[in-house]
Amino acid sequence: DVAALSPEDFVGWGELWGWTQAEEELLEWLMKLRSVEQLLDPKKPSTLAIGSWGLLGAAEQLDDVEVQLFAARPRKEALHMVLSRDDSADTVLAQWSQVKAVVDSSTDVLLFHLTSHYCPIYAWREHQERREVLTNRTGQKPNCWMDWQECRDIMLKWSGYNIVKLSLRGAARKEEQCEAAA
């Protein structure tokens, strides 16, 4: 009889759902379903509702590409670089060094999800205390040097804003490295 069961009878099953968690997961699922419908609209397809979850999921289907959330506010998913408003100057400098290393790599690309828009980070530059990345606020062509602190501020405003790292893996990575060395 199910009514006679107690929580102890479910040991090993994991934590039971609470209503709040169930409501959050249902809402997330419904929003993703709506996103797919918007993409498939024959008159006016829209990518507006596709966030990093869609990008990460799509990239995982590619054999030669590895994808990871590179920088963002704390979140459930694994994250290379966690950003916080409380980061010390040394921490911010270390984060900047990681950005520079990836941008300099011949097998990695950083995609910046800034205000309702994705754009690659094409380059970096420094002059005295200024640290900037080359990106674009509204299009795809590089046209805007954005201060690293502004990038951080954007990502700290909302958990959906982040930097995603795409990397060649396996044979594609070795081939690219050999071409770069030649």
Side-chain angles (χ1 to χ4, degrees):
D1 183 356
V2 175
L5 296 174
S6 71
E8 291 79 27
D9 295 323
F10 296 97
V11 172
W13 281 35
E15 188 178 326
L16 295 178
W17 258 2
W19 282 110
T20 303
Q21 181 183 359
E23 184 178 28
E24 287 172 2
E25 289 191 25
L26 178 60
L27 181 59
E28 181 180 348
W29 180 78
L30 289 171
M31 290 178 72
K32 288 179 181 179
L33 185 61
R34 181 173 182 217
S35 300
V36 171
E37 289 175 3
Q38 290 174 338
L39 280 171
L40 298 175
D41 185 326
K43 292 182 182 178
K44 189 177 179 186
S46 173
T47 60
L48 179 66
I50 302 299
S52 295
W53 64 269
L55 181 66
L56 293 167
E60 287 174 358
Q61 303 303 311
L62 302 172
D63 292 333
D64 293 335
V65 176
E66 183 179 330
V67 62
Q68 77 174 130
L69 278 173
F70 183 74
R73 289 179 7 182
R75 53 197 312 144
K76 291 182 219 175
E77 298 93 350
L79 188 57
H80 178 79
M81 185 169 33
V82 178
L83 305 178
S84 168
R85 294 196 188 286
D86 297 328
D87 287 343
S88 69
D90 288 341
T91 299
V92 172
L93 187 59
Q95 294 165 348
W96 172 246
S97 294
Q98 291 179 58
V99 169
K100 293 188 315 182
V102 175
V103 172
D104 287 345
S105 167
S106 65
T107 58
D108 301 320
V109 173
L110 294 179
L111 285 179
F112 184 18
H113 184 196
L114 58 156
T115 315
S116 301
H117 177 65
Y118 279 95
C119 188
I121 293 177
Y122 294 98
W124 62 268
R125 70 180 181 187
E126 293 178 300
H127 181 68
Q128 295 175 351
E129 295 297 315
R130 288 192 66 87
R131 299 176 187 101
E132 298 173 318
V133 295
L134 180 60
T135 190
N136 190 317
R137 294 176 192 278
T138 58
Q140 296 302 311
K141 294 179 182 177
N143 77 345
C144 167
W145 285 101
M146 187 181 294
D147 190 82
W148 173 239
Q149 187 57 52
E150 182 181 356
C151 297
R152 285 177 41 83
D153 290 343
I154 288 170
M155 290 184 279
L156 290 168
K157 281 182 189 172
W158 179 55
S159 62
Y161 297 143
N162 53 59
I163 296 176
V164 173
K165 178 182 167 188
L166 300 165
S167 304
L168 291 177
R169 69 169 117 186
R173 177 181 277 279
K174 289 178 187 172
E175 181 181 313
E176 181 66 27
Q177 289 171 335
C178 288
E179 288 176 11

PDB file of all heavy atoms in Angstrom, residues 54-83:
ATOM      1  N   GLY A  54      21.043  26.228 -25.470  1.00  0.00           N
ATOM      2  CA  GLY A  54      20.883  25.749 -26.839  1.00  0.00           C
ATOM      3  C   GLY A  54      22.205  25.636 -27.561  1.00  0.00           C
ATOM      4  O   GLY A  54      22.465  24.669 -28.286  1.00  0.00           O
ATOM      5  N   LEU A  55      23.054  26.630 -27.357  1.00  0.00           N
ATOM      6  CA  LEU A  55      24.379  26.624 -27.968  1.00  0.00           C
ATOM      7  C   LEU A  55      25.209  25.456 -27.449  1.00  0.00           C
ATOM      8  O   LEU A  55      25.840  24.729 -28.217  1.00  0.00           O
ATOM      9  CB  LEU A  55      25.082  27.955 -27.680  1.00  0.00           C
ATOM     10  CG  LEU A  55      26.468  28.146 -28.244  1.00  0.00           C
ATOM     11  CD1 LEU A  55      26.430  28.185 -29.760  1.00  0.00           C
ATOM     12  CD2 LEU A  55      27.075  29.422 -27.709  1.00  0.00           C
ATOM     13  N   LEU A  56      25.191  25.258 -26.142  1.00  0.00           N
ATOM     14  CA  LEU A  56      25.950  24.156 -25.545  1.00  0.00           C
ATOM     15  C   LEU A  56      25.426  22.812 -26.035  1.00  0.00           C
ATOM     16  O   LEU A  56      26.207  21.920 -26.387  1.00  0.00           O
ATOM     17  CB  LEU A  56      25.877  24.233 -24.018  1.00  0.00           C
ATOM     18  CG  LEU A  56      26.573  25.427 -23.376  1.00  0.00           C
ATOM     19  CD1 LEU A  56      26.173  25.562 -21.914  1.00  0.00           C
ATOM     20  CD2 LEU A  56      28.064  25.330 -23.507  1.00  0.00           C
ATOM     21  N   GLY A  57      24.122  22.667 -26.085  1.00  0.00           N
ATOM     22  CA  GLY A  57      23.527  21.417 -26.537  1.00  0.00           C
ATOM     23  C   GLY A  57      23.842  21.121 -27.990  1.00  0.00           C
ATOM     24  O   GLY A  57      24.142  19.980 -28.355  1.00  0.00           O
ATOM     25  N   ALA A  58      23.779  22.145 -28.843  1.00  0.00           N
ATOM     26  CA  ALA A  58      24.066  21.957 -30.265  1.00  0.00           C
ATOM     27  C   ALA A  58      25.543  21.611 -30.481  1.00  0.00           C
ATOM     28  O   ALA A  58      25.876  20.717 -31.258  1.00  0.00           O
ATOM     29  CB  ALA A  58      23.695  23.208 -31.049  1.00  0.00           C
ATOM     30  N   ALA A  59      26.427  22.317 -29.788  1.00  0.00           N
ATOM     31  CA  ALA A  59      27.864  22.087 -29.973  1.00  0.00           C
ATOM     32  C   ALA A  59      28.278  20.697 -29.497  1.00  0.00           C
ATOM     33  O   ALA A  59      29.201  20.103 -30.043  1.00  0.00           O
ATOM     34  CB  ALA A  59      28.662  23.158 -29.248  1.00  0.00           C
ATOM     35  N   GLU A  60      27.574  20.161 -28.499  1.00  0.00           N
ATOM     36  CA  GLU A  60      27.897  18.816 -28.013  1.00  0.00           C
ATOM     37  C   GLU A  60      27.647  17.757 -29.081  1.00  0.00           C
ATOM     38  O   GLU A  60      28.199  16.665 -29.019  1.00  0.00           O
ATOM     39  CB  GLU A  60      27.088  18.501 -26.755  1.00  0.00           C
ATOM     40  CG  GLU A  60      27.585  19.249 -25.537  1.00  0.00           C
ATOM     41  CD  GLU A  60      26.694  19.052 -24.318  1.00  0.00           C
ATOM     42  OE1 GLU A  60      25.662  18.355 -24.408  1.00  0.00           O
ATOM     43  OE2 GLU A  60      27.036  19.611 -23.265  1.00  0.00           O
ATOM     44  N   GLN A  61      26.827  18.074 -30.075  1.00  0.00           N
ATOM     45  CA  GLN A  61      26.525  17.130 -31.153  1.00  0.00           C
ATOM     46  C   GLN A  61      27.631  17.091 -32.213  1.00  0.00           C
ATOM     47  O   GLN A  61      27.619  16.228 -33.075  1.00  0.00           O
ATOM     48  CB  GLN A  61      25.187  17.491 -31.814  1.00  0.00           C
ATOM     49  CG  GLN A  61      24.015  17.545 -30.854  1.00  0.00           C
ATOM     50  CD  GLN A  61      23.811  16.249 -30.095  1.00  0.00           C
ATOM     51  OE1 GLN A  61      23.793  15.179 -30.688  1.00  0.00           O
ATOM     52  NE2 GLN A  61      23.708  16.331 -28.784  1.00  0.00           N
ATOM     53  N   LEU A  62      28.560  18.039 -32.167  1.00  0.00           N
ATOM     54  CA  LEU A  62      29.643  18.107 -33.143  1.00  0.00           C
ATOM     55  C   LEU A  62      30.813  17.236 -32.683  1.00  0.00           C
ATOM     56  O   LEU A  62      31.250  17.326 -31.539  1.00  0.00           O
ATOM     57  CB  LEU A  62      30.097  19.554 -33.328  1.00  0.00           C
ATOM     58  CG  LEU A  62      29.017  20.535 -33.779  1.00  0.00           C
ATOM     59  CD1 LEU A  62      29.543  21.960 -33.743  1.00  0.00           C
ATOM     60  CD2 LEU A  62      28.516  20.174 -35.162  1.00  0.00           C
ATOM     61  N   ASP A  63      31.323  16.405 -33.582  1.00  0.00           N
ATOM     62  CA  ASP A  63      32.391  15.472 -33.219  1.00  0.00           C
ATOM     63  C   ASP A  63      33.705  16.160 -32.865  1.00  0.00           C
ATOM     64  O   ASP A  63      34.412  15.719 -31.980  1.00  0.00           O
ATOM     65  CB  ASP A  63      32.645  14.483 -34.362  1.00  0.00           C
ATOM     66  CG  ASP A  63      31.474  13.534 -34.564  1.00  0.00           C
ATOM     67  OD1 ASP A  63      30.749  13.270 -33.589  1.00  0.00           O
ATOM     68  OD2 ASP A  63      31.298  13.063 -35.702  1.00  0.00           O
ATOM     69  N   ASP A  64      34.053  17.209 -33.589  1.00  0.00           N
ATOM     70  CA  ASP A  64      35.371  17.818 -33.432  1.00  0.00           C
ATOM     71  C   ASP A  64      35.385  19.055 -32.538  1.00  0.00           C
ATOM     72  O   ASP A  64      36.380  19.767 -32.480  1.00  0.00           O
ATOM     73  CB  ASP A  64      35.937  18.201 -34.803  1.00  0.00           C
ATOM     74  CG  ASP A  64      36.248  16.980 -35.649  1.00  0.00           C
ATOM     75  OD1 ASP A  64      36.483  15.903 -35.064  1.00  0.00           O
ATOM     76  OD2 ASP A  64      36.256  17.093 -36.878  1.00  0.00           O
ATOM     77  N   VAL A  65      34.273  19.336 -31.849  1.00  0.00           N
ATOM     78  CA  VAL A  65      34.190  20.550 -31.034  1.00  0.00           C
ATOM     79  C   VAL A  65      33.843  20.191 -29.597  1.00  0.00           C
ATOM     80  O   VAL A  65      32.917  19.434 -29.332  1.00  0.00           O
ATOM     81  CB  VAL A  65      33.131  21.527 -31.598  1.00  0.00           C
ATOM     82  CG1 VAL A  65      32.987  22.749 -30.696  1.00  0.00           C
ATOM     83  CG2 VAL A  65      33.488  21.953 -33.011  1.00  0.00           C
ATOM     84  N   GLU A  66      34.602  20.758 -28.692  1.00  0.00           N
ATOM     85  CA  GLU A  66      34.323  20.645 -27.261  1.00  0.00           C
ATOM     86  C   GLU A  66      33.807  22.005 -26.813  1.00  0.00           C
ATOM     87  O   GLU A  66      34.324  23.044 -27.238  1.00  0.00           O
ATOM     88  CB  GLU A  66      35.609  20.295 -26.517  1.00  0.00           C
ATOM     89  CG  GLU A  66      35.432  20.082 -25.045  1.00  0.00           C
ATOM     90  CD  GLU A  66      36.757  19.711 -24.385  1.00  0.00           C
ATOM     91  OE1 GLU A  66      37.612  19.091 -25.054  1.00  0.00           O
ATOM     92  OE2 GLU A  66      36.928  20.063 -23.217  1.00  0.00           O
ATOM     93  N   VAL A  67      32.807  22.035 -25.968  1.00  0.00           N
ATOM     94  CA  VAL A  67      32.204  23.298 -25.550  1.00  0.00           C
ATOM     95  C   VAL A  67      32.088  23.327 -24.030  1.00  0.00           C
ATOM     96  O   VAL A  67      31.864  22.301 -23.394  1.00  0.00           O
ATOM     97  CB  VAL A  67      30.813  23.493 -26.217  1.00  0.00           C
ATOM     98  CG1 VAL A  67      29.842  22.419 -25.800  1.00  0.00           C
ATOM     99  CG2 VAL A  67      30.253  24.868 -25.930  1.00  0.00           C
ATOM    100  N   GLN A  68      32.302  24.518 -23.454  1.00  0.00           N
ATOM    101  CA  GLN A  68      32.131  24.664 -22.016  1.00  0.00           C
ATOM    102  C   GLN A  68      31.771  26.106 -21.685  1.00  0.00           C
ATOM    103  O   GLN A  68      32.130  27.036 -22.416  1.00  0.00           O
ATOM    104  CB  GLN A  68      33.387  24.252 -21.247  1.00  0.00           C
ATOM    105  CG  GLN A  68      34.496  25.271 -21.280  1.00  0.00           C
ATOM    106  CD  GLN A  68      35.680  24.922 -20.397  1.00  0.00           C
ATOM    107  OE1 GLN A  68      36.780  24.959 -20.872  1.00  0.00           O
ATOM    108  NE2 GLN A  68      35.485  24.595 -19.150  1.00  0.00           N
ATOM    109  N   LEU A  69      31.041  26.262 -20.601  1.00  0.00           N
ATOM    110  CA  LEU A  69      30.823  27.604 -20.076  1.00  0.00           C
ATOM    111  C   LEU A  69      32.158  28.067 -19.525  1.00  0.00           C
ATOM    112  O   LEU A  69      32.743  27.406 -18.675  1.00  0.00           O
ATOM    113  CB  LEU A  69      29.769  27.599 -18.972  1.00  0.00           C
ATOM    114  CG  LEU A  69      28.332  27.603 -19.442  1.00  0.00           C
ATOM    115  CD1 LEU A  69      27.394  27.414 -18.265  1.00  0.00           C
ATOM    116  CD2 LEU A  69      28.005  28.891 -20.159  1.00  0.00           C
ATOM    117  N   PHE A  70      32.629  29.183 -20.029  1.00  0.00           N
ATOM    118  CA  PHE A  70      33.955  29.658 -19.656  1.00  0.00           C
ATOM    119  C   PHE A  70      33.885  30.649 -18.494  1.00  0.00           C
ATOM    120  O   PHE A  70      34.630  30.543 -17.535  1.00  0.00           O
ATOM    121  CB  PHE A  70      34.629  30.295 -20.870  1.00  0.00           C
ATOM    122  CG  PHE A  70      36.030  30.757 -20.617  1.00  0.00           C
ATOM    123  CD1 PHE A  70      37.058  29.849 -20.497  1.00  0.00           C
ATOM    124  CD2 PHE A  70      36.315  32.103 -20.498  1.00  0.00           C
ATOM    125  CE1 PHE A  70      38.360  30.268 -20.252  1.00  0.00           C
ATOM    126  CE2 PHE A  70      37.605  32.543 -20.251  1.00  0.00           C
ATOM    127  CZ  PHE A  70      38.629  31.625 -20.136  1.00  0.00           C
ATOM    128  N   ALA A  71      32.997  31.642 -18.593  1.00  0.00           N
ATOM    129  CA  ALA A  71      32.917  32.667 -17.549  1.00  0.00           C
ATOM    130  C   ALA A  71      31.472  33.095 -17.353  1.00  0.00           C
ATOM    131  O   ALA A  71      30.751  33.337 -18.316  1.00  0.00           O
ATOM    132  CB  ALA A  71      33.761  33.882 -17.939  1.00  0.00           C
ATOM    133  N   ALA A  72      31.055  33.188 -16.081  1.00  0.00           N
ATOM    134  CA  ALA A  72      29.692  33.611 -15.761  1.00  0.00           C
ATOM    135  C   ALA A  72      29.551  33.739 -14.250  1.00  0.00           C
ATOM    136  O   ALA A  72      30.471  33.409 -13.498  1.00  0.00           O
ATOM    137  CB  ALA A  72      28.671  32.612 -16.288  1.00  0.00           C
ATOM    138  N   ARG A  73      28.373  34.211 -13.855  1.00  0.00           N
ATOM    139  CA  ARG A  73      28.018  34.179 -12.436  1.00  0.00           C
ATOM    140  C   ARG A  73      27.888  32.725 -11.999  1.00  0.00           C
ATOM    141  O   ARG A  73      27.741  31.849 -12.838  1.00  0.00           O
ATOM    142  CB  ARG A  73      26.655  34.853 -12.224  1.00  0.00           C
ATOM    143  CG  ARG A  73      26.673  36.309 -12.389  1.00  0.00           C
ATOM    144  CD  ARG A  73      25.342  37.002 -12.199  1.00  0.00           C
ATOM    145  NE  ARG A  73      24.219  36.214 -11.736  1.00  0.00           N
ATOM    146  CZ  ARG A  73      23.009  36.713 -11.565  1.00  0.00           C
ATOM    147  NH1 ARG A  73      22.761  37.980 -11.813  1.00  0.00           N
ATOM    148  NH2 ARG A  73      22.022  35.970 -11.143  1.00  0.00           N
ATOM    149  N   PRO A  74      27.925  32.485 -10.699  1.00  0.00           N
ATOM    150  CA  PRO A  74      27.762  31.098 -10.235  1.00  0.00           C
ATOM    151  C   PRO A  74      26.452  30.498 -10.761  1.00  0.00           C
ATOM    152  O   PRO A  74      25.444  31.185 -10.853  1.00  0.00           O
ATOM    153  CB  PRO A  74      27.710  31.234  -8.707  1.00  0.00           C
ATOM    154  CG  PRO A  74      28.373  32.528  -8.409  1.00  0.00           C
ATOM    155  CD  PRO A  74      28.110  33.418  -9.596  1.00  0.00           C
ATOM    156  N   ARG A  75      26.498  29.236 -11.150  1.00  0.00           N
ATOM    157  CA  ARG A  75      25.314  28.546 -11.672  1.00  0.00           C
ATOM    158  C   ARG A  75      25.427  27.059 -11.429  1.00  0.00           C
ATOM    159  O   ARG A  75      26.445  26.582 -10.957  1.00  0.00           O
ATOM    160  CB  ARG A  75      25.141  28.867 -13.153  1.00  0.00           C
ATOM    161  CG  ARG A  75      26.378  28.597 -13.963  1.00  0.00           C
ATOM    162  CD  ARG A  75      26.449  29.231 -15.320  1.00  0.00           C
ATOM    163  NE  ARG A  75      25.269  29.049 -16.108  1.00  0.00           N
ATOM    164  CZ  ARG A  75      24.805  29.973 -16.936  1.00  0.00           C
ATOM    165  NH1 ARG A  75      25.424  31.111 -17.070  1.00  0.00           N
ATOM    166  NH2 ARG A  75      23.731  29.758 -17.642  1.00  0.00           N
ATOM    167  N   LYS A  76      24.389  26.314 -11.797  1.00  0.00           N
ATOM    168  CA  LYS A  76      24.368  24.862 -11.588  1.00  0.00           C
ATOM    169  C   LYS A  76      25.396  24.145 -12.452  1.00  0.00           C
ATOM    170  O   LYS A  76      26.041  23.210 -12.011  1.00  0.00           O
ATOM    171  CB  LYS A  76      22.982  24.296 -11.920  1.00  0.00           C
ATOM    172  CG  LYS A  76      21.882  24.685 -10.984  1.00  0.00           C
ATOM    173  CD  LYS A  76      20.597  23.992 -11.428  1.00  0.00           C
ATOM    174  CE  LYS A  76      19.421  24.923 -11.276  1.00  0.00           C
ATOM    175  NZ  LYS A  76      18.184  24.342 -11.800  1.00  0.00           N
ATOM    176  N   GLU A  77      25.508  24.560 -13.722  1.00  0.00           N
ATOM    177  CA  GLU A  77      26.399  23.874 -14.660  1.00  0.00           C
ATOM    178  C   GLU A  77      27.868  24.089 -14.279  1.00  0.00           C
ATOM    179  O   GLU A  77      28.212  25.057 -13.622  1.00  0.00           O
ATOM    180  CB  GLU A  77      26.202  24.415 -16.086  1.00  0.00           C
ATOM    181  CG  GLU A  77      24.827  24.204 -16.644  1.00  0.00           C
ATOM    182  CD  GLU A  77      23.909  25.397 -16.407  1.00  0.00           C
ATOM    183  OE1 GLU A  77      24.278  26.315 -15.659  1.00  0.00           O
ATOM    184  OE2 GLU A  77      22.815  25.395 -16.961  1.00  0.00           O
ATOM    185  N   ALA A  78      28.694  23.164 -14.736  1.00  0.00           N
ATOM    186  CA  ALA A  78      30.137  23.301 -14.536  1.00  0.00           C
ATOM    187  C   ALA A  78      30.616  24.583 -15.208  1.00  0.00           C
ATOM    188  O   ALA A  78      30.166  24.927 -16.295  1.00  0.00           O
ATOM    189  CB  ALA A  78      30.860  22.102 -15.117  1.00  0.00           C
ATOM    190  N   LEU A  79      31.507  25.266 -14.562  1.00  0.00           N
ATOM    191  CA  LEU A  79      31.933  26.583 -15.019  1.00  0.00           C
ATOM    192  C   LEU A  79      33.432  26.719 -14.829  1.00  0.00           C
ATOM    193  O   LEU A  79      33.963  26.443 -13.761  1.00  0.00           O
ATOM    194  CB  LEU A  79      31.177  27.624 -14.189  1.00  0.00           C
ATOM    195  CG  LEU A  79      31.261  29.072 -14.538  1.00  0.00           C
ATOM    196  CD1 LEU A  79      30.820  29.344 -15.966  1.00  0.00           C
ATOM    197  CD2 LEU A  79      30.375  29.876 -13.597  1.00  0.00           C
ATOM    198  N   HIS A  80      34.134  27.150 -15.884  1.00  0.00           N
ATOM    199  CA  HIS A  80      35.581  27.315 -15.817  1.00  0.00           C
ATOM    200  C   HIS A  80      35.964  28.478 -14.897  1.00  0.00           C
ATOM    201  O   HIS A  80      36.860  28.359 -14.070  1.00  0.00           O
ATOM    202  CB  HIS A  80      36.143  27.533 -17.219  1.00  0.00           C
ATOM    203  CG  HIS A  80      37.611  27.766 -17.248  1.00  0.00           C
ATOM    204  ND1 HIS A  80      38.507  26.732 -17.145  1.00  0.00           N
ATOM    205  CD2 HIS A  80      38.338  28.905 -17.336  1.00  0.00           C
ATOM    206  CE1 HIS A  80      39.733  27.224 -17.176  1.00  0.00           C
ATOM    207  NE2 HIS A  80      39.661  28.529 -17.301  1.00  0.00           N
ATOM    208  N   MET A  81      35.306  29.620 -15.066  1.00  0.00           N
ATOM    209  CA  MET A  81      35.677  30.832 -14.327  1.00  0.00           C
ATOM    210  C   MET A  81      34.410  31.461 -13.720  1.00  0.00           C
ATOM    211  O   MET A  81      33.557  31.946 -14.445  1.00  0.00           O
ATOM    212  CB  MET A  81      36.356  31.817 -15.286  1.00  0.00           C
ATOM    213  CG  MET A  81      36.889  33.048 -14.624  1.00  0.00           C
ATOM    214  SD  MET A  81      37.967  34.093 -15.654  1.00  0.00           S
ATOM    215  CE  MET A  81      37.381  33.945 -17.299  1.00  0.00           C
ATOM    216  N   VAL A  82      34.310  31.414 -12.411  1.00  0.00           N
ATOM    217  CA  VAL A  82      33.160  31.987 -11.708  1.00  0.00           C
ATOM    218  C   VAL A  82      33.439  33.453 -11.419  1.00  0.00           C
ATOM    219  O   VAL A  82      34.471  33.794 -10.835  1.00  0.00           O
ATOM    220  CB  VAL A  82      32.886  31.226 -10.394  1.00  0.00           C
ATOM    221  CG1 VAL A  82      31.727  31.855  -9.642  1.00  0.00           C
ATOM    222  CG2 VAL A  82      32.618  29.756 -10.666  1.00  0.00           C
ATOM    223  N   LEU A  83      32.523  34.324 -11.838  1.00  0.00           N
ATOM    224  CA  LEU A  83      32.666  35.764 -11.611  1.00  0.00           C
ATOM    225  C   LEU A  83      31.818  36.193 -10.426  1.00  0.00           C
ATOM    226  O   LEU A  83      30.717  35.682 -10.224  1.00  0.00           O
ATOM    227  CB  LEU A  83      32.205  36.543 -12.846  1.00  0.00           C
ATOM    228  CG  LEU A  83      32.863  36.189 -14.177  1.00  0.00           C
ATOM    229  CD1 LEU A  83      32.240  37.014 -15.296  1.00  0.00           C
ATOM    230  CD2 LEU A  83      34.353  36.408 -14.120  1.00  0.00           C
TER     231      LEU A  83
END
